[in-house]
C-alpha cells in the first residue's frame, strides 16, 4: 500500500530527526520532554509500523530504540522509555495469551533460573494487541504529565519554617517543589550557580519571584556555607541501578560537603529517570551540559537520610 | 614642672572620678587607645590586646596599687587620663611600649565594665550600630573618611562589610591630603580596585609604602620619633583598612613594624633612626618573604616525584614559584591540573605563568574536581593565613578541594610562610571573612590579551576596552572580583542577575576566604620545615619567645 509505505518513510524521517536533535545537544531539553517525544515516537511505531506479531514488534522497537540511544547515550530517558514500552508489550501479550501478571513474574524468574531463557516466543498474533499497547502508552504519557506535581505535593512534609536549603544548578522539579512549599512556609534558599553555564542564576531569579529569599553564590563557596544549611535538595538526570546519581557537575562535591556536616540530602526525581544500567556507564561519553558525577553507592547509603526518591503515585513497571 | 609619681597618680584618680560622674557607665572611648600601653613608671605592660583570647589579653598586672574591686576597664580609663595629663605638659617620656596590638582594630569600651569582655574588632561588628558609631567617631578624629557599604547583604553575613568597586574610592570619600600620604592613597586605591592582589603582594606593597612614609617623615619638635611615628601611622592604617580589610600577613607586618619603631633607642638622631628602620623593613622583607619562598620551594621539591600529576587551585605566588623551580631543575617530569572558580578566575593567571615555563597544564572549573581527582597524585595549595588551631584560611574553594581530595585519598599539601601564622582561632568561614569590594563589570570568558606596558607592568584589556595595569608584583591578578556584582555574568546575551538590587528577595554572595579544618590537610610546608597542621601553635610560641 502506498499509504503505508509513505507513513513508514515519514516515521523513519521523524525518528531520524529526533535522533539528530539528540545527537546535536545544544540546548538542554527537559528530561520530561525527551521522554514524551520518545513515547510519542514509539506510539507511532506501534500504530503505523509494519508488524503482525508481538515478537516482530519488540524487535522493531528494539532496533529503533537502539538507534535513538546511540545518538545520545547520555540521555538515558530514551532508553528507559524504550524498555518500559517493551515491558508493556510483554505484559499485554501475556494478558492476551491468558496468563495472569503475578504468576508470569514468578514463572519467568523460575524459568530464568532453570531454563536459561524465556520460553515465550511471542509468535501468536493477536489483533487487539496493537490497540492495547497504544492504550498503555497513552497511560504512560498521562503519567508523565503529572510527575512534577506529584513530587511537589510532598514538599510540605520535608520543608519546615526558617530552614536554609541549598540546591545546585537549575532543576525544574526542585523549583516546583520549593515553590509549592513556599506557599505555606517561610524559608531561605541558597543556590550554587554551577559555572560555567550558570544555570543557578535562572533558578535563583525564578525562586525570588515567588518571594523566596534566595542567595546566589559561586560553587567554590559550597563547603564554606554548608555549616549553616539545614537540607540539601537537588534534582538529577539519572538514577542508576546501584543507587548512584548522574547529575550536574558539582553535585558530588555538594554531596561530600553535606556528608561532612551531616546534612540530609534529598533527591527529587520522577520514575522515568530510573535506569537499570549500572556503573559501567560512567566511563562512556559525556556531554558538556551534564558532566557526570557518579556517587559511590557506599557514599549514598551512608548519608543520614539516604537519597529519598519522590515517586509519582501511579504504578510503573 | 615634673610631677612626681604620687602626684600623677592622684591626678589620675581625680580625673577618673570626675569622668565617672559625668558619663555614668559609659567608658571613655574618646582617646585613641591605639597608642598601646600608656607608660607607667617602671611598669612595663604586658601585651596589649591582641585580638585573640590568648592569655596575654588579660592585660597588665596592676600591682602598683591594690585595686580590689577595680576592673580592667577602669584601670585603663585611669591610665588614659594620666596620658592626657602627660601630653598636656609636653613631657617626652621614655615609653616602654610593649608589643603593640595589630592596628585597624579599634578598641571598643566593653559594654559591661565590670567583667572581662573580649574586645572585638570593628570589622566583624557591622551589624551593631553602637559599635559602628564609635568607629565612625574614631575615624573622624583621625580624619580618615568612612566608607559606605553597598547592596543588601546576606543575613548570615550581616556582620561583615560589603563594599562596591564600581565607583573608585576617591569619588566615594574625600581624603584629606594633609593627614594621609599620597603614596598610601594610591596604595589604598590599588587595593580597593583589586590591582594588587594576593597575600604576599599586598604585604610587600604595604612595606614599601611604609618605607616611603618613613623617608618622608620628619619629627615635629618636642616629640619623640618612636612615639610620634606610630601615632602618624595609625590614620594610614585605618584608611587602608577601609579600602580593603587588612590581611593576616599585613597585620603581622604592621605589628612587627610598630614594635620596631617603639623599640628604637632615644639616642639615635632622626636620620639614623629612619635609616635603621628602613634596614629593618628590608631585612623583614628579605627574610620572611623572599628567602622563605626559596626555602619552601626547596622543601616542596622533595615532595614532587617523577610522573606526578599535581593539582593547584587559584593563584598562589608560592605554589607557582615552587612549580616553576621544580620544572627548571630537570629530572622531574610532572604535569599540573589548574582548578579555577568564578568569579575571580585567578587560575588563568596561574595557567599563563606555568604554560610560559613549558609545564603541561590542564584547566578545569571547580565543579569538575571529582572528575579529575582520580588521576591526580597530590594537591598543592597556598594559604592566606594559618590559624592557631591549625585551620588553614585561604581562598574560598580551598576547603572544598581538600574535602574532595580526602574522599579520593589524595594527599593535600599546603605551602605557607611562617609570617602568616596568626593567633586567631576560627572554626567556620562565617565569623570573619571578606565580602566583595567593587566589581569589574562582567568580562565574558577568555577575552583578555596581555600586552607589555612601558612601566614594567602588564596591561590587560577587558572586552569593553577597559584597561587595567598590573604592577609585576609577585602575585598580581587580573580580576579581583569581590563585589557581589561580580557574580553577574552574560550567558546567551542575557545577564540573569542584572537586576538583583531591585529584587528584594534576591541576594548575591561573593565570599573571599574560607577556613579548611585541620584534619583535611596532610602537611604544611613552611620555611621552618614540614610540619603537620597541629604544630602551628608550637611555631607561634617559638616565634614569640624569639621576639
Amino acid at each position: 500500500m502506498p499509504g503505508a509505505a509513505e507513513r513508514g518513510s515519514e516515521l523513519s524521517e521523524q525518528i531520524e530527526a529526533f535522533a539528530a536533535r539528540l545527537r546535536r545537544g545544544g540546548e538542554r531539553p527537559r528530561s520530561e520532554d525527551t521522554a514524551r517525544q520518545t513515547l510519542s515516537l514509539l506510539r507511532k511505531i506501534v500504530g503505523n509500523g509494519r508488524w503482525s506479531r508481538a515478537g516482530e514488534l519488540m524487535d522493531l522497537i528494539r532496533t529503533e530504540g537502539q538507534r535513538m540511544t546511540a545518538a545520545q547515550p547520555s540521555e538515558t530517558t530514551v532508553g528507559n522509555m524504550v524498555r518500559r514500552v517493551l515491558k508493556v508489550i510483554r505484559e499485554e501479550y501475556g494478558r492476551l495469551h491468558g496468563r495472569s501478571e503475578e504468576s508470569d513474574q514468578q514463572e519467568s524468574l523460575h524459568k530464568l533460573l532453570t531454563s536459561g531463557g524465556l520460553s515465550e516466543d511471542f509468535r501468536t498474533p493477536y489483533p487487539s494487541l496493537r490497540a492495547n499497547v497504544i492504550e498503555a502508552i497513552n497511560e504512560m504519557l498521562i503519567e508523565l504529565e503529572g510527575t512534577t506535581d506529584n513530587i511537589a505535593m510532598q514538599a510540605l512534609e520535608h520543608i519546615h519554617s526558617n530552614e536554609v536549603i541549598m540546591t545546585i544548578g537549575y532543576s525544574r522539579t526542585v523549583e516546583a517543589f520549593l515553590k509549592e512549599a513556599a506557599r505555606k512556609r517561610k524559608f531561605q534558599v541558597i543556590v550554587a550557580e554551577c559555572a560555567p553555564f550558570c544555570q543557578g542564576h535562572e533558578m535563583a531569579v525564578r525562586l525570588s519571584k515567588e518571594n523566596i529569599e534566595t542567595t546566589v553564590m559561586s560553587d567554590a563557596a559550597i563547603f564554606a556555607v554548608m555549616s549553616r544549611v539545614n537540607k540539601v535538595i537537588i534534582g538529577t538526570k539519572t538514577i542508576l541501578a546501584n543507587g548512584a546519581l548522574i547529575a550536574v557537575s558539582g553535585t558530588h562535591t555538594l554531596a561530600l560537603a553535606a556528608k561532612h556536616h551531616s546534612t540530609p540530602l534529598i533527591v527529587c526525581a520522577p520514575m522515568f529517570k530510573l535506569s537499570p544500567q549500572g556503573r559501567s556507564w560512567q566511563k562512556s561519553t559525556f556531554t558538556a551540559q551534564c558532566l557526570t558525577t557518579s556517587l559511590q553507592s557506599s557514599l549514598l547509603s551512608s548519608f543520614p537520610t539516604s537519597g529519598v526518591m519522590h515517586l509519582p503515585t501511579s504504578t510503573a513497571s | 614642672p615634673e610631677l612626681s609619681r604620687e602626684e600623677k597618680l592622684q591626678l589620675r584618680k581625680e580625673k577618673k572620678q570626675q569622668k565617672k560622674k559625668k558619663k555614668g557607665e559609659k567608658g571613655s572611648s574618646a582617646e585613641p587607645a591605639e597608642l598601646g600601653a600608656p607608660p607607667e613608671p617602671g611598669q612595663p605592660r604586658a601585651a596589649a590586646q591582641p585580638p585573640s583570647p590568648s592569655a596575654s589579653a588579660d592585660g597588665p598586672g596592676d600591682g602598683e596599687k591594690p585595686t580590689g574591686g577595680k576592673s580592667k576597664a577602669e584601670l585603663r580609663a585611669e591610665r588614659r587620663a594620666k596620658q592626657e595629663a602627660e601630653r598636656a605638659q609636653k613631657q617626652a617620656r621614655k615609653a616602654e611600649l610593649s608589643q603593640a596590638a595589630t592596628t585597624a582594630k579599634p578598641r571598643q569600651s566593653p559594654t559591661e565594665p565590670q567583667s572581662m569582655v573580649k574586645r572585638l574588632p570593628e570589622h566583624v561588628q557591622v551589624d551593631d550600630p553602637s559599635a559602628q558609631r564609635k568607629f565612625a567617631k574614631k575615624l573622624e578624629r583621625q580624619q580618615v573618611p568612612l566608607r559606605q557599604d553597598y547592596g543588601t547583604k546576606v543575613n548570615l553575613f550581616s556582620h561583615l562589610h560589603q563594599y562596591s568597586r564600581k565607583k573608585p574610592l576617591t569619588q566615594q570619600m574625600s581624603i584629606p591630603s594633609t593627614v594621609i600620604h599620597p603614596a598610601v592613597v594610591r596604595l589604598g586605591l590599588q587595593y580597593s580596585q583589586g590591582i594588587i592582589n594576593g597575600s604576599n603582594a599586598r604585604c610587600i606593597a604595604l612595606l614599601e609604602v611604609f618605607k616611603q612614609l618613613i623617608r618622608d617623615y620628619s619629627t615635629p619638635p618636642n616629640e619623640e620619633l618612636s612615639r610620634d611615628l606610630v601615632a602618624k601611622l595609625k590614620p594610614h592604617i585605618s584608611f587602608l583598612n577601609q579600602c580593603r580589610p587588612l590581611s593576616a600577613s599585613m597585620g603581622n607586618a604592621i605589628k612587627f613594624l610598630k614594635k620596631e619603631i617603639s623599640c628604637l633607642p632615644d639616642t639615635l638622631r632622626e636620620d639614623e633612626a629612619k635609616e635603621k628602620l628602613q634596614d629593618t623593613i628590608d631585612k623583614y622583607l628579605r627574610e620572611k618573604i623572599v628567602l622563605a619562598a626559596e626555602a619552601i620551594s626547596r622543601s616542596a621539591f622533595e615532595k614532587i616525584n617523577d610522573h606526578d600529576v599535581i593539582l593547584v587551585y587559584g593563584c598562589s605566588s608560592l605554589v607557582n614559584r615552587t612549580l616553576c623551580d621544580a620544572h627548571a631543575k630537570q629530572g622531574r617530569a610532572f604535569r599540573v591540573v589548574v582548578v579555577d572558580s568564578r568569579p575571580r578566575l585567578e587560575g588563568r593567571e596561574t595557567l599563563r605563568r606555568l604554560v610560559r615555563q613549558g609545564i603541561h597544564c590542564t584547566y578545569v572549573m571547580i565543579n569538575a574536581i571529582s572528575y579529575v581527582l582520580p588521576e591526580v597524585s597530590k594537591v598543592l595549595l597556598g594559604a592566606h593565613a594559618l590559624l592557631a588551631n591549625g585551620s588553614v584560611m585561604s581562598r574560598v574553594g580551598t576547603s572544598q578541594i581538600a574535602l574532595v581530595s580526602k574522599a579520593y585519598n589524595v594527599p593535600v599539601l599546603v605551602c605557607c610562610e611562617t609570617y602568616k601564622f596568626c593567633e586567631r582561632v576560627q572554626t567556620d568561614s562565617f565569623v570573619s571573612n571578606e565580602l566583595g569590594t567593587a566589581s569589574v563589570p562582567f568580562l565574558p570568558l577568555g577575552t583578555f590579551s596581555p600586552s607589555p606596558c612601558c612601566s614594567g607592568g602588564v596591561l590587560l584589556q577587558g572586552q569593553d576596552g577597559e584597561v587595567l595595569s598590573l604592577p609585576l608584583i609577585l602575585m598580581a591578578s587580573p580580576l579581583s572580583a569581590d563585589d557581589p556584582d561580580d557574580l553577574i555574568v552574560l550567558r546567551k546575551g542575557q545577564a540573569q542577575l542584572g537586576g538583583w538590587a531591585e529584587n528584594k528577595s534576591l541576594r548575591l554572595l561573593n565570599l573571599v576566604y574560607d577556613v579548611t579544618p585541620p584534619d583535611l590537610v596532610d602537611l604544611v610546608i613552611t620555611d621552618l620545615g614540614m610540619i603537620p597542621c597541629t604544630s602551628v601553635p608550637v611555631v607561634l610560641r617559638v616565634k614569640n619567645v624569639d621576639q
Side-chain angles (χ1 to χ4, degrees):
Chain A
M1 297 182 332
E6 259 176 41
R7 278 202 301 260
S9 62
E10 191 188 299
L11 184 59
S12 177
E13 268 173 33
Q14 283 175 342
I15 297 177
E16 195 50 51
F18 181 59
R21 206 170 35 236
L22 281 177
R23 200 178 301 126
R24 205 173 40 227
E27 354 78 48
R28 201 166 143 258
R30 285 194 69 171
S31 296
E32 195 183 306
D33 292 336
T34 320
R36 197 176 301 127
Q37 283 165 6
T38 316
L39 278 181
S40 322
L41 271 178
L42 291 175
R43 186 175 54 185
K44 284 210 188 84
I45 295 176
V46 171
N48 305 340
R50 260 178 295 180
W51 57 276
S52 50
R53 293 192 187 81
E56 285 171 25
L57 174 61
M58 284 167 64
D59 287 334
L60 184 61
I61 293 208
R62 223 175 260 129
T63 351
E64 295 301 334
Q66 270 166 5
R67 189 160 72 149
M68 288 194 280
T69 46
Q72 185 62 280
S74 70
E75 278 290 341
T76 43
T77 32
V78 175
N80 295 347
M81 289 295 111
V82 167
R83 281 187 203 93
R84 284 178 74 171
V85 167
L86 286 174
K87 170 92 196 258
V88 158
I89 297 173
R90 258 185 236 124
E91 273 177 12
E92 291 298 326
Y93 181 82
R95 196 173 300 134
L96 289 173
H97 209 67
R99 222 181 292 262
S100 74
E101 263 187 53
E102 263 186 58
S103 61
D104 201 12
Q105 286 169 4
Q106 284 170 357
E107 278 206 49
S108 63
L109 185 61
H110 177 78
K111 285 211 176 94
L112 275 171
L113 288 173
T114 54
S115 65
L118 286 175
S119 63
E120 290 282 343
D121 50 8
F122 299 105
R123 263 209 281 266
T124 334
Y126 289 104
S128 57
L129 184 65
R130 194 181 291 246
N132 285 1
V133 171
I134 290 183
E135 198 185 307
I137 295 183
N138 284 340
E139 273 178 28
M140 276 175 27
L141 276 170
I142 293 176
E143 174 195 310
L144 266 186
E145 307 277 321
T147 49
T148 314
D149 291 331
N150 284 334
I151 293 177
M153 272 191 327
Q154 309 176 51
L156 281 175
E157 294 169 11
H158 295 277
I159 300 179
H160 62 74
S161 285
N162 293 331
E163 274 205 309
V164 179
I165 295 180
M166 186 183 281
T167 183
I168 187 171
Y170 180 27
S171 162
R172 293 153 195 94
T173 317
V174 174
E175 184 194 344
F177 192 80
L178 293 176
K179 279 185 182 170
E180 177 67 30
R183 293 198 304 131
K184 297 269 174 60
R185 306 257 158 92
K186 207 93 187 80
F187 54 90
Q188 295 181 38
V189 177
I190 300 181
V191 181
E193 65 179 2
C194 216
F197 297 104
C198 298
Q199 310 100 309
H201 291 190
E202 200 184 332
M203 173 83 151
V205 168
R206 280 171 188 247
L207 286 178
S208 62
K209 289 213 172 78
E210 307 288 323
N211 291 331
I212 301 176
E213 210 177 296
T214 322
T215 304
V216 181
M217 55 166 208
S218 90
D219 317 318
I222 287 178
F223 187 76
V225 303
M226 183 59 81
S227 53
R228 294 292 184 280
V229 170
N230 297 119
K231 285 195 174 78
V232 180
I233 303 183
I234 55 174
T236 176
K237 185 131 183 74
T238 308
I239 301 174
L240 296 176
N242 61 347
L245 296 180
I246 297 182
V248 77
S249 174
T251 309
H252 191 190
T253 310
L254 184 65
L256 282 173
K259 182 170 179 224
H260 187 269
H261 289 96
S262 296
T263 310
L265 178 83
I266 299 180
V267 179
C268 294
M271 278 281 275
F272 61 81
K273 289 191 178 168
L274 288 165
S275 169
Q277 286 163 318
R279 289 184 47 192
S280 58
W281 197 98
Q282 71 185 7
K283 292 305 174 197
S284 58
T285 59
F286 59 90
T287 63
Q289 295 150 6
C290 71
L291 282 173
T292 66
T293 63
S294 113
L295 285 175
Q296 307 290 324
S297 57
S298 56
L299 203 61
L300 189 56
S301 58
S302 57
F303 289 153
T305 38
S306 49
V308 173
M309 288 189 288
H310 290 250
L311 313 174
T313 50
S314 52
T315 56
S317 57
Chain B
E2 191 143 331
L3 292 181
S4 71
R5 180 200 288 203
E6 291 74 28
E7 287 169 8
K8 284 195 182 64
L9 292 179
Q10 194 58 32
L11 192 65
R12 201 195 314 165
K13 263 191 194 162
E14 286 166 14
K15 281 212 169 173
K16 201 215 123 213
Q17 273 156 9
Q18 284 171 14
K19 272 193 183 157
K20 227 184 172 178
K21 282 177 201 144
K22 273 187 222 163
K23 291 174 187 173
E25 90 232 351
K26 185 175 166 191
S28 64
S29 62
E31 302 317 306
E34 295 286 352
L35 266 181
E40 281 178 358
Q43 192 98 27
R45 198 165 142 200
Q49 303 298 316
S52 79
S54 56
S56 53
D58 285 330
D62 40 59
E64 56 171 356
K65 52 180 179 245
T67 55
K70 272 205 180 150
S71 79
K72 228 177 37 150
E74 295 173 21
L75 284 173
R76 258 187 242 115
E78 282 181 69
R79 283 190 283 269
R80 264 186 237 119
K82 188 185 162 227
Q83 224 180 350
E84 254 184 289
E86 284 185 347
R87 216 178 305 126
Q89 294 159 26
K90 299 226 170 174
Q91 286 249 342
R93 299 180 61 90
K94 191 166 218 150
E96 272 215 54
L97 293 178
S98 60
Q99 180 73 21
T102 48
T103 59
K105 292 191 166 54
R107 245 26 111 258
Q108 315 287 342
S109 301
T111 48
E112 309 113 34
Q114 296 306 319
S115 60
M116 307 273 238
V117 175
K118 177 183 181 311
R119 284 170 166 170
L120 287 172
E122 171 276 333
H123 66 260
V124 295
Q125 283 192 320
V126 177
D127 54 351
D128 182 7
S130 59
Q132 288 304 299
R133 273 199 299 271
K134 285 186 188 141
F135 179 64
K137 273 195 224 148
K138 173 184 180 270
L139 283 187
E140 254 183 68
R141 266 198 318 278
Q142 293 180 346
Q143 296 178 288
V144 172
L146 178 68
R147 196 170 175 198
Q148 301 299 330
D149 282 10
Y150 162 75
T152 29
K153 281 189 264 191
V154 180
N155 280 346
L156 294 169
F157 291 96
S158 57
H159 62 288
L160 298 173
H161 280 297
Q162 180 170 289
Y163 297 128
S164 160
R165 204 188 322 169
K166 267 204 282 265
K167 277 198 302 177
L169 209 61
T170 38
Q171 285 182 16
Q172 288 177 13
M173 39 198 225
S174 63
I175 300 164
S177 55
T178 45
V179 177
I180 304 196
H181 193 284
V184 175
V185 176
R186 186 176 69 162
L187 185 67
L189 275 173
Q190 285 174 327
Y191 282 164
S192 72
Q193 296 294 118
I195 296 172
I196 298 186
N197 206 10
S199 201
N200 280 340
R202 282 163 73 189
C203 188
I204 293 173
L206 178 77
L207 288 175
E208 296 287 334
V209 162
F210 275 178
K211 267 180 22 189
Q212 188 172 354
L213 252 183
I214 291 174
R215 258 199 305 271
D216 296 341
Y217 168 77
S218 51
T219 328
N222 290 339
E223 291 282 348
E224 269 263 327
L225 181 134
S226 54
R227 267 201 9 201
D228 187 59
L229 185 55
V230 174
K232 284 284 184 332
L233 282 180
K234 280 206 181 90
H236 296 104
I237 294 166
S238 299
F239 171 71
L240 288 176
N241 198 29
Q242 292 277 287
C243 298
R244 187 169 166 194
L246 295 180
S247 66
S249 54
M250 290 162 71
N252 286 345
I254 290 174
K255 241 195 249 187
F256 162 79
L257 185 62
K258 283 191 169 177
K259 182 163 174 288
E260 283 301 310
I261 295 176
S262 58
C263 289
L264 280 177
D266 266 347
T267 50
L268 289 178
R269 286 197 325 269
E270 178 178 323
D271 46 339
E272 277 177 6
K274 294 207 291 195
E275 179 94 23
K276 184 165 185 290
L277 279 177
Q278 310 231 357
D279 284 340
T280 329
I281 293 181
D282 277 335
K283 184 158 160 264
Y284 187 84
L285 272 176
R286 200 174 52 243
E287 279 180 12
K288 303 282 182 177
I289 303 182
V290 179
L291 288 180
E294 172 85 32
I296 291 175
S297 171
R298 286 221 191 117
S299 312
F301 179 67
E302 299 163 25
K303 290 291 176 191
I304 299 178
N305 304 319
D306 232 355
H307 302 300
D308 252 356
V309 181
I310 301 179
L311 188 133
V312 300
Y313 175 62
C315 187
S316 163
S317 52
L318 257 186
V319 170
N320 290 348
R321 186 191 165 144
T322 308
L323 292 175
C324 293
D325 286 349
H327 183 79
K329 294 188 214 182
Q330 311 290 331
R332 301 278 167 98
F334 61 90
R335 66 181 179 92
V336 176
V337 177
V338 179
V339 178
D340 202 8
S341 78
R342 281 198 71 240
R344 298 180 133 234
L345 294 173
E346 291 170 333
R348 297 183 178 193
E349 179 64 29
T350 309
L351 193 65
R352 196 178 312 131
R353 289 187 196 176
L354 294 181
V355 167
R356 203 175 286 158
Q357 300 287 324
I359 303 177
H360 191 284
C361 292
T362 311
Y363 177 84
V364 291
M365 298 294 274
I366 194 171
N367 44 17
I369 43 174
S370 50
Y371 185 74
V372 297
L373 267 173
E375 58 185 28
V376 168
S377 52
K378 45 180 72 82
V379 175
L380 211 55
L381 299 172
H384 170 85
L386 238 61
L387 305 176
N389 62 344
S391 311
V392 178
M393 180 177 236
S394 182
R395 185 67 78 219
V396 66
T398 311
S399 55
Q400 233 165 278
I401 298 209
L403 175 75
V404 184
S405 308
K406 193 84 182 176
Y408 281 95
N409 279 328
V410 175
V412 174
L413 312 173
V414 171
C415 298
C416 183
E417 301 97 332
T418 44
Y419 86 102
K420 288 181 188 160
F421 286 17
C422 147
E423 282 179 15
R424 247 176 30 211
V425 175
Q426 220 177 303
T427 46
D428 59 26
S429 319
F430 286 81
V431 165
S432 172
N433 206 323
E434 205 181 312
L435 302 175
T437 47
S439 75
V440 174
F442 13 106
L443 294 181
L445 300 172
T447 57
F448 46 77
S449 49
S451 57
C453 165
C454 51
S455 61
V458 171
L459 276 180
L460 284 183
Q461 200 153 9
Q463 204 201 29
D464 37 6
E466 211 178 287
V467 171
L468 314 167
S469 99
L470 317 172
L472 271 178
I473 301 190
L474 278 183
M475 214 202 100
S477 163
L479 298 177
S480 175
D482 281 338
D483 196 335
D485 283 339
D486 291 326
L487 285 178
I488 303 178
V489 78
L490 282 172
R491 292 283 177 263
K492 302 180 189 167
Q494 200 192 7
Q496 292 277 353
L497 296 181
W500 75 279
E502 289 89 40
N503 193 341
K504 288 285 184 313
S505 313
L506 188 59
R507 313 264 159 93
L508 302 188
L509 180 61
N510 190 0
L511 283 180
V512 182
Y513 298 116
D514 74 5
V515 171
T516 310
D519 49 347
L520 298 179
V521 175
D522 293 308
L523 189 68
V524 178
I525 305 178
T526 68
D527 41 330
L528 294 179
M530 299 198 243
I531 58 174
C533 252
T534 42
S535 298
V536 170
V538 177
V539 171
L540 280 171
R541 199 163 53 230
V542 166
K543 258 199 334 173
N544 283 341
V545 163
D546 279 346
Q547 287 170 357

